[in-house]
């Protein structure tokens, strides 16, 4: 009797579906705007956090940071920093840092191509991004290969499809496009295939200005409108230990002047580019992030900046970076404490050092994800698809990681606890030893009561075997292929192709813009 009722309910749930995990159902959860429901977890005492902050200020004041861009050194010197032009070292006083922290916004409204894609970057909100910046792409059918524009465009379609990915990112480098024209190709793909917040590489002022112009054209903005709101973002990485290179320093200046978002992120690997202790690595990271934040605020007080953290450890046997480790999680929790100490929105990083989408990849990525969630990260980059410590992004892993992100998103939704949800009448309706499959309480809710799995297979062993015995990674192949086959870009995004193509053709004829290094 119970088995028959359960089968009837399952058949009813599957009506209108094509039988594949992740197909459409009547359930329509909202994953576009997430508030973190968890209390931030500490790893240090308040006194230790204050000591890390104070030591970071001491690093900047007594030791300094090497700034390779003359313009940036000049800006810092004019604001009161002590600059040695021969060594290019810049010592930044704590009064300058304090002023910068006071002027940096605590909440950043970031605008997508559709108002439903707008984000509020602030403590307490959560935004997830796919793995970014990889030179290679991989999937089960085509194997591991260098990144191409075609693969980049496929990723943009997948990123647009999933609401739980809130911002676009440079998943892979399209190495089949000349570097003078690559920013046109990646900008066009983002702006014509998606209505989410786009990414712009900071690779010199000429490329940045081209990319800003493309965003303005696509969004229909005047120069003043663009500069008065945040319509794109970049990631600024310092060269740990204590160095800010030319394109990154220039990027901070360019984005601050234009009022666009800079996520200023040192990449500190404990034992390699940072002290071997978690506290030591975070001290160096904090100092470098504060230096970049200070430069941005000097250029334009109130410039939208996100405090960045991406600290982990290395394998001391090989020197290879590791992710999802206990040290990575502790560093993320500590970074969250430092971000809350400053009051700024902040970025964390997920990822995995595994070479393929396997059990190691899954647990490393999910431990890193939970570290970010429990640390209260505003933005978590590399939350889906990232492999090999950033050397590749996997189509299948993107899909399987989305399952974890959607589970986190479900936990953000309120769980009803009113009298109707508590269900006394339902309990009274079902006699001892009975079942709730056909209870009125169940029948009015079963279509939308539970999360619909994307890639997980909940069938028993016999049914799973008869269906081909596919692993989750193998099932993920069918899902990404179906999404790409059915993809239709937002009409507002597709409509921008003409004006963008006209701009790209003109700039290409003029020779494009070479990256600056």
């Amino acid at each position: 009797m119970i088995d028959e009722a359960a089968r009837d309910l399952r058949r009813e749930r599957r009506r209108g579906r094509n039988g594949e995990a992740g197909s459409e159902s009547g359930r329509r959860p909202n994953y576009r705007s997430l508030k973190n429901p968890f209390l931030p977890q500490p790893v240090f005492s308040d006194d230790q956090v204050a000591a890390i902050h104070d030591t970071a200020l001491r690093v900047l004041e007594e030791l300094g940071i090497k700034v390779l861009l003359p313009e940036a050194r000049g800006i810092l010197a004019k604001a009161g920093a002590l600059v040695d032009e021969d060594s290019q070292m810049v010592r930044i006083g704590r009064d300058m840092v304090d002023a910068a922290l006071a002027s940096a916004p605590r909440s950043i409204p970031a605008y997508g191509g559709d108002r439903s894609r707008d984000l509020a970057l602030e403590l307490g909100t959560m935004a997830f991004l796919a793995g970014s910046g990889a030179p290679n792409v991989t999937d089960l059918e085509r194997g591991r290969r260098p990144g191409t524009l075609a693969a980049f465009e496929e990723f943009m379609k997948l990123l647009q499809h999933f609401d739980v990915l809130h911002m676009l990112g440079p998943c892979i480098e399209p190495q089949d496009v000349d570097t003078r024209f690559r920013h046109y190709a990646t900008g066009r793909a983002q702006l014509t295939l998606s209505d989410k917040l786009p990414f712009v590489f900071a690779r010199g002022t000429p490329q940045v200005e081209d990319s800003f112009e493309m965003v303005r054209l696509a969004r229909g903005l005047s120069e003043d409108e663009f500069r008065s709101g945040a319509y794109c973002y970049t990631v600024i990485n310092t060269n740990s230990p204590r160095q800010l290179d030319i394109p990154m320093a220039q990027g901070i200046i360019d984005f601050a002047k234009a009022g666009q978002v800079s996520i200023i992120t040192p990449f500190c690997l404990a034992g390699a580019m940072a002290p071997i202790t978690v506290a030591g690595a975070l001290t160096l990271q904090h100092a470098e992030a504060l230096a970049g934040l200070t430069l941005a605020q000097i250029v334009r007080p109130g410039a939208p900046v996100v405090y960045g953290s991406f600290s982990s450890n290395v394998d001391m046997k090989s020197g290879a970076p590791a992710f999802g480790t206990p040290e990575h999680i502790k560093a993320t929790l500590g970074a969250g404490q430092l971000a809350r100490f400053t009051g700024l929105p902040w970025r964390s990083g997920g990822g995995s050092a595994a070479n393929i989408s396997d059990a190691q990849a899954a647990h490393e990525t999910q431990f890193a994800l939970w570290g970010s969630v429990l640390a209260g990260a505003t933005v978590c980059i590399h939350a889906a698809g990232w492999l090999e410590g950033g050397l590749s992004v996997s189509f299948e892993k993107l899909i399987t990681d989305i399952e974890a992100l959607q589970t986190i998103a479900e936990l953000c939704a309120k769980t009803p606890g009113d009298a109707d949800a508590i269900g006394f009448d339902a309990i009274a309706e079902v006699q001892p030893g009975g079942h709730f499959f056909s209870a009125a309480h169940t029948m009015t809710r079963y279509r939308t009561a539970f999360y619909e799995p994307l890639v997980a297979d909940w069938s028993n062993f016999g049914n799973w075997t008869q269906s081909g015995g596919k692993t989750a990674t193998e099932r993920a192949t069918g899902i990404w292929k179906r999404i790409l086959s059915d993809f239709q870009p937002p009409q507002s995004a597709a409509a921008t192709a003409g004006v963008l193509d006209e701009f790209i053709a003109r700039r290409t004829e003029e020779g494009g813009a070479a990256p600056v290094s």
Side-chain angles (χ1 to χ4, degrees):
M1 180 68 177
I2 294 177
D3 288 344
E4 182 179 347
R7 283 195 297 270
D8 289 344
L9 193 151
R10 285 198 298 267
R11 280 196 293 268
E12 179 66 22
R13 283 176 67 91
R14 287 171 179 158
R15 287 178 186 173
R17 296 180 59 186
N18 64 9
E20 180 180 65
S23 302
E24 296 298 325
S25 73
R27 198 166 184 275
R28 294 292 184 271
N30 178 17
Y31 295 157
R32 295 193 179 192
S33 180
L34 302 182
K35 292 281 188 179
N36 193 326
F38 298 100
L39 291 176
Q41 299 299 303
V43 70
F44 298 114
S45 69
D46 290 346
D47 288 345
Q48 289 171 327
V49 171
I52 291 172
H53 177 72
D54 185 69
T55 305
L57 295 178
R58 184 183 173 194
V59 168
L60 293 178
E61 201 164 42
E62 297 182 17
L63 304 179
I65 182 171
K66 190 172 186 177
V67 179
L68 303 187
L69 181 70
E71 180 185 357
R73 294 197 301 273
I75 291 170
L76 290 163
K78 188 175 181 180
L82 301 178
V83 177
D84 184 324
E85 284 295 334
D86 292 335
S87 65
Q88 302 177 322
M89 293 299 297
V90 178
R91 288 188 289 151
I92 302 171
R94 61 185 62 211
D95 56 331
M96 295 174 62
V97 177
D98 289 343
L101 290 175
S103 67
R106 270 50 183 168
S107 181
I108 302 170
Y111 304 110
D114 184 275
R115 294 287 72 81
S116 68
R117 300 293 190 185
D118 292 351
L119 300 171
L121 302 179
E122 60 191 20
L123 292 176
T125 63
M126 283 196 304
F128 297 121
L129 282 76
S132 298
N136 301 299
V137 58
T138 184
D139 63 70
L140 289 184
E141 293 196 345
R142 295 171 289 186
R144 184 180 186 273
R145 58 204 185 276
T148 63
L149 179 58
F152 184 93
E153 291 172 342
E154 287 179 337
F155 275 122
M156 291 306 105
K157 295 175 183 179
L158 294 173
L159 269 54
Q160 172 65 19
H161 178 84
F162 291 107
D163 284 349
V164 79
L165 296 174
H166 302 95
M167 300 158 64
L168 301 179
C171 294
I172 56 166
E173 281 280 350
Q175 295 169 63
D176 56 339
V177 181
D178 188 289
T179 55
R180 294 172 299 161
F181 313 116
R182 191 176 295 172
H183 60 296
Y184 304 133
T186 56
R188 185 188 190 281
Q190 293 181 80
L191 294 168
T192 61
L193 296 174
S194 176
D195 54 11
K196 298 182 181 182
L197 187 74
F199 172 87
V200 171
F201 270 117
R203 291 176 171 169
T205 301
Q207 287 202 359
V208 167
E209 289 183 345
D210 277 344
S211 299
F212 285 170
E213 180 65 16
M214 291 178 69
V215 174
R216 287 195 293 268
L217 290 170
R219 301 294 191 247
L221 301 168
S222 68
E223 180 80 22
D224 289 342
E225 289 171 333
F226 177 76
R227 290 178 177 270
S228 64
Y231 294 92
C232 60
Y233 80 101
T234 194
V235 174
I236 300 295
N237 295 129
T238 54
N239 298 130
S240 303
R242 293 190 297 128
Q243 181 168 283
L244 186 61
D245 68 21
I246 289 174
M248 294 294 95
Q250 190 66 63
I252 291 174
I253 295 169
D254 291 341
F255 275 74
K257 285 181 177 178
Q260 304 308 303
V261 179
S262 293
I263 302 179
I264 301 176
T265 311
F267 181 33
C268 293
L269 290 173
M273 300 105 74
I276 199 168
T277 57
V278 170
L282 286 178
T283 300
L284 179 63
Q285 171 190 279
H286 193 56
E288 293 179 1
L290 292 178
L293 291 166
T294 300
L295 175 59
Q297 295 307 306
I298 293 170
V299 172
R300 177 174 171 169
V305 289
V306 173
Y307 176 94
S309 165
F310 196 27
S311 290
S312 187
N313 61 291
V314 296
D315 178 356
M316 295 308 296
K317 295 178 181 178
S318 67
F323 301 95
T325 64
E327 293 75 23
H328 182 189
I329 297 165
K330 288 179 181 180
T332 302
L333 295 175
Q337 291 181 269
L338 289 166
R340 290 189 294 278
F341 187 88
T342 67
L344 300 180
W346 71 287
R347 166 257 161 119
S348 68
S352 167
N355 292 299
I356 62 171
S357 181
D358 60 4
Q360 176 188 339
H363 82 244
E364 287 179 349
T365 301
Q366 291 192 39
F367 270 116
L369 169 63
W370 272 110
S372 295
V373 172
L374 295 179
T378 309
V379 176
C380 180
I381 302 181
H382 312 314
W386 215 54
L387 285 173
E388 302 179 65
L391 293 180
S392 70
V393 176
S394 160
F395 279 86
E396 283 82 19
K397 191 169 190 300
L398 181 78
I399 299 298
T400 55
D401 288 342
I402 291 290
E403 191 91 86
L405 296 181
Q406 292 185 165
T407 300
I408 297 294
E410 291 284 336
L411 298 178
C412 294
K414 291 184 178 180
T415 301
D418 58 5
D420 195 37
I422 291 172
F424 176 85
D425 291 343
I427 297 171
E429 177 185 347
V430 178
Q431 297 303 305
H435 65 79
F436 287 82
F437 284 117
S438 58
H441 194 260
T442 301
M443 297 305 293
T444 58
R445 291 168 173 78
Y446 73 89
R447 293 179 185 273
T448 59
F450 303 136
Y451 170 75
E452 287 280 329
L454 171 66
V455 70
D457 187 337
W458 294 347
S459 61
N460 61 36
F461 185 81
N463 290 335
W464 171 76
T465 302
Q466 290 179 4
S467 299
K470 292 182 178 180
T471 66
T473 299
E474 291 169 335
R475 291 192 297 274
T477 299
I479 295 171
W480 67 255
K481 289 178 66 176
R482 172 176 58 81
I483 293 171
L484 294 181
S485 175
D486 296 344
F487 181 80
Q488 295 291 329
Q491 289 186 358
S492 60
T496 68
V499 66
L500 290 176
D501 288 344
E502 182 178 341
F503 172 79
I504 292 170
R506 175 173 61 81
R507 289 294 293 122
T508 300
E509 179 67 22
E510 293 169 351
V516 174
S517 61

